[in-house]
Amino acid sequence: MRKCKVIAVTNQKGGVGKTTTTENVAIGLVRQGFDVLIVDFDPQGDLTSCLGWKNNDALEHSVSSMLDDYINDNDIDYDSLILHHEEDVDLIPANIELADFEMRLVSVINREQTLSNCIEPLRDKYDYIFIDCPPSLGMLTVNALSAADEVLIPVQTQYLPAKGMTKLLQTVNKVQRKINSNLKITGIVMTLADLNTNITKSTIDTIRGSFGKNIRVFDTIIPKATKASEASISGKSIYAYAKDSKVAVAYDNLTKELVKNPKIRHKDEISL
């Protein structure tokens, strides 16, 4: 059995580049030769849409149907569930049906471990499994943290995030103490940065000063760029859409920071 790493990408603040980071780090790892699965665990289903499945509410199989099968003791049909993207990343999609599970999980036995139990059989098929969390600290996010080995925290550099970060870290610590003692924080990645402004530079210094002593803060900073938004609309990663852009180079560097010993790259890969 291969050693699979499950990484939850989370921040309860919306609009911080969480979904974009999940998509491009995951595909960045695919480009380094790893087998990667993404679990869209946000009822908005933005990641599913970003990967090209725009009408996600019409999907017959989704993460919510997977949870439903597990709760009802039915076999999960992973072959029908998992979608295959043209850039060789796999996806368990999400749609609005997932919103109902926030309440349904309250009455489920061992409710915090529901997602963990669902994806456990997939650990021997992938090197990495990424979970794109909803912008909240509710039961869905707790499930994601319970299923994860590590947490990656994207933080926007255009506002002071200390108060929100503290609340998120308290939730992570609580999950570590009560549910998942093996959970670790991969690090903080700063996103949507406009390095020409003083407020961005000040925020970067604040994050490094406030959290850098205890938590890894990645050296790579993801710049604010319209190319990233355009790539999401096109259903492609930033590498496929604009491989020479600054944001593509940044996500490639972040992926290399995340993995110190990459596998042999695909022969047909176009290097940046």
Side-chain angles (χ1 to χ4, degrees):
M1 182 180 295
R2 72 174 77 191
K3 180 64 174 177
C4 176
K5 185 176 290 185
V6 179
I7 300 177
V9 184
T10 186
N11 191 320
Q12 78 273 21
K13 175 72 168 63
V16 300
K18 177 179 57 62
T19 295
T20 301
T21 296
T22 303
E23 175 187 3
N24 289 300
V25 170
I27 294 178
L29 288 168
V30 169
R31 297 171 76 247
Q32 292 191 23
F34 293 99
D35 294 320
V36 183
L37 170 70
I38 305 174
V39 180
D40 189 350
F41 212 50
D42 186 343
Q44 297 178 68
D46 288 343
L47 195 147
T48 301
S49 298
C50 287
L51 287 173
W53 285 273
K54 303 298 183 182
N55 190 17
N56 53 0
D57 287 338
L59 292 171
E60 182 179 356
H61 302 282
S62 66
V63 68
S64 54
S65 64
M66 177 184 73
L67 296 173
D68 195 53
D69 283 338
Y70 175 79
I71 291 171
N72 291 302
D73 294 323
N74 296 325
D75 292 334
I76 298 171
D77 184 357
Y78 292 104
D79 291 335
S80 299
L81 172 67
I82 296 173
L83 303 176
H84 307 285
H85 189 264
E86 61 184 10
E87 294 180 65
D88 293 330
V89 72
D90 286 350
L91 170 72
I92 295 180
N95 53 35
I96 196 62
E97 292 179 3
L98 184 59
D100 295 336
F101 274 87
E102 195 86 30
M103 292 300 296
R104 287 188 61 188
L105 285 170
V106 173
S107 59
V108 174
I109 297 174
N110 201 21
R111 59 184 179 269
E112 295 89 356
Q113 302 286 349
T114 304
L115 178 62
S116 178
N117 291 330
C118 286
I119 66 174
E120 184 65 28
L122 299 173
R123 280 181 174 264
D124 65 343
K125 301 180 183 296
Y126 296 96
D127 298 301
Y128 288 89
I129 297 175
F130 282 84
I131 306 171
D132 185 33
C133 299
S136 71
L137 294 178
M139 184 56 66
L140 294 179
T141 296
V142 170
N143 255 260
L145 295 176
S146 301
D149 302 307
E150 298 184 7
V151 185
L152 179 63
I153 306 172
V155 178
Q156 186 181 5
T157 58
Q158 296 177 353
Y159 71 103
L160 190 62
K163 184 176 180 181
M165 278 287 296
T166 299
K167 187 174 182 181
L168 172 58
L169 294 174
Q170 287 173 345
T171 299
V172 171
N173 182 258
K174 190 172 183 179
V175 171
Q176 287 172 324
R177 288 186 289 106
K178 296 189 174 184
I179 304 171
N180 183 3
S181 61
N182 296 318
L183 181 64
K184 296 178 175 60
I185 297 176
T186 304
I188 296 169
V189 54
M190 290 180 277
T191 61
L192 299 173
D194 182 354
L195 296 174
N196 295 318
T197 64
N198 289 330
I199 189 169
T200 294
K201 295 174 183 177
S202 175
T203 302
I204 290 171
D205 291 340
T206 299
I207 293 170
R208 294 197 187 280
S210 299
F211 304 103
K213 293 179 181 178
N214 300 311
I215 300 172
R216 179 183 185 184
V217 180
F218 286 96
D219 293 331
T220 302
I221 298 173
I222 307 300
K224 185 176 182 179
T226 56
K227 292 293 184 184
S229 300
E230 292 172 1
S232 298
I233 294 172
S234 73
K236 301 177 181 179
S237 74
I238 190 62
Y239 311 110
Y241 183 78
K243 66 182 181 64
D244 296 319
S245 64
K246 290 182 179 180
V247 69
V249 172
Y251 273 119
D252 187 57
N253 289 336
L254 175 62
T255 304
K256 291 173 182 175
E257 271 197 86
L258 191 68
V259 182
K260 294 299 183 183
N261 299 305
K263 290 186 175 182
I264 297 173
R265 291 170 177 260
H266 295 310
K267 291 181 181 179
D268 58 349
E269 178 192 357
I270 300 174
S271 58
L272 296 173

Coordinates of all heavy atoms in Angstrom, one line a residue, residues 12 15 25-26 41 44 60 63 65 68-69 73 138 150 152 160 166 173 209 218 249:
Q12 N -12.0 29.7 6.9 CA -13.4 30.1 7.1 C -13.8 31.4 6.4 O -14.9 31.7 6.2 CB -13.8 30.1 8.5 CG -13.4 31.4 9.3 CD -12.0 31.3 9.9 OE1 -11.2 30.5 9.4 NE2 -11.7 32.1 10.9
G15 N -13.2 33.9 -0.4 CA -12.5 34.8 -1.3 C -11.1 34.9 -1.0 O -10.5 35.9 -1.4
V25 N -2.4 23.5 -6.9 CA -1.4 22.7 -6.2 C -1.6 21.2 -6.6 O -0.7 20.5 -6.8 CB -1.5 22.9 -4.7 CG1 -0.6 21.9 -3.9 CG2 -1.0 24.3 -4.4
A26 N -2.9 20.8 -6.6 CA -3.2 19.4 -6.9 C -2.7 19.0 -8.3 O -2.0 18.0 -8.5 CB -4.7 19.1 -6.8
F41 N -15.5 19.6 -1.3 CA -16.4 19.4 -0.1 C -17.1 20.7 0.3 O -17.4 21.0 1.5 CB -15.5 18.9 1.1 CG -16.3 18.0 2.1 CD1 -17.0 17.0 1.6 CD2 -16.2 18.3 3.4 CE1 -17.7 16.2 2.5 CE2 -16.9 17.5 4.3 CZ -17.7 16.4 3.9
Q44 N -21.1 24.9 -2.6 CA -21.1 25.7 -3.7 C -20.6 25.0 -5.0 O -20.9 25.5 -6.1 CB -20.4 27.0 -3.4 CG -20.9 27.8 -2.3 CD -20.1 29.1 -2.0 OE1 -20.1 30.0 -2.9 NE2 -19.4 29.1 -0.9
E60 N -25.3 12.9 -11.4 CA -26.0 11.9 -10.7 C -25.2 11.4 -9.4 O -25.8 11.1 -8.4 CB -26.2 10.7 -11.6 CG -27.0 9.5 -10.9 CD -27.2 8.3 -11.9 OE1 -26.8 8.5 -13.1 OE2 -27.7 7.3 -11.4
V63 N -20.2 14.0 -4.0 CA -19.7 13.7 -2.7 C -20.9 13.5 -1.7 O -20.8 12.7 -0.8 CB -18.8 14.9 -2.2 CG1 -19.6 16.2 -2.0 CG2 -18.1 14.4 -0.9
S65 N -23.9 12.1 -2.5 CA -24.4 10.8 -2.7 C -23.4 9.7 -2.1 O -23.9 8.7 -1.6 CB -24.6 10.5 -4.2 OG -23.4 10.5 -4.9
D68 N -24.2 9.8 1.5 CA -25.5 9.2 1.7 C -25.4 7.6 1.7 O -26.1 6.9 2.5 CB -26.5 9.7 0.6 CG -28.0 9.4 0.9 OD1 -28.4 9.7 2.0 OD2 -28.6 8.8 0.1
D69 N -24.7 7.1 0.7 CA -24.5 5.7 0.6 C -23.8 5.1 1.9 O -24.2 4.1 2.4 CB -23.6 5.3 -0.6 CG -24.4 5.4 -1.9 OD1 -25.6 5.3 -1.9 OD2 -23.7 5.6 -3.0
D73 N -25.4 2.5 4.8 CA -24.8 1.2 4.7 C -24.8 0.6 3.3 O -24.9 -0.6 3.1 CB -25.3 0.2 5.7 CG -25.1 0.6 7.2 OD1 -24.0 1.2 7.4 OD2 -25.9 0.5 8.0
G138 N -18.0 24.7 10.3 CA -19.0 23.8 10.7 C -18.7 22.4 10.6 O -17.5 22.0 10.5
E150 N -3.0 16.5 7.0 CA -2.4 17.9 7.1 C -3.4 18.9 6.7 O -4.4 18.6 6.1 CB -1.1 18.0 6.2 CG 0.0 17.0 6.6 CD 1.2 17.2 5.8 OE1 1.3 18.2 5.0 OE2 2.2 16.4 6.0
L152 N -3.6 22.8 4.9 CA -3.0 23.9 4.2 C -3.9 25.1 4.3 O -5.1 25.0 4.0 CB -2.7 23.5 2.7 CG -2.1 24.6 1.8 CD1 -0.7 24.9 2.3 CD2 -2.1 24.1 0.4
L160 N -6.2 42.2 7.3 CA -5.5 41.7 8.4 C -6.2 40.4 8.9 O -7.3 40.5 9.4 CB -5.5 42.8 9.5 CG -4.6 42.5 10.8 CD1 -3.2 42.4 10.3 CD2 -4.8 43.6 11.8
T166 N -6.7 33.0 14.1 CA -6.7 32.5 15.5 C -7.9 31.5 15.7 O -7.7 30.4 16.3 CB -6.8 33.6 16.5 OG1 -5.7 34.5 16.3 CG2 -6.8 33.1 17.9
N173 N -6.8 22.9 16.5 CA -6.3 22.3 17.8 C -7.3 21.5 18.5 O -7.0 20.4 19.0 CB -5.8 23.5 18.7 CG -5.2 23.0 20.0 OD1 -5.9 23.0 21.0 ND2 -4.0 22.6 19.9
G209 N 5.3 37.5 11.2 CA 5.7 37.8 12.6 C 4.7 37.1 13.6 O 5.2 36.7 14.6
F218 N 4.9 29.5 3.9 CA 5.6 29.3 2.6 C 6.3 30.5 2.1 O 5.8 31.6 2.2 CB 4.7 28.7 1.6 CG 4.3 27.2 1.9 CD1 3.1 27.0 2.5 CD2 5.1 26.2 1.5 CE1 2.8 25.6 2.8 CE2 4.8 24.9 1.8 CZ 3.6 24.6 2.4
V249 N 3.9 30.4 -12.5 CA 5.2 30.1 -11.9 C 5.1 30.1 -10.4 O 5.8 29.2 -9.8 CB 6.2 31.3 -12.4 CG1 7.5 31.2 -11.7 CG2 6.4 31.2 -13.9

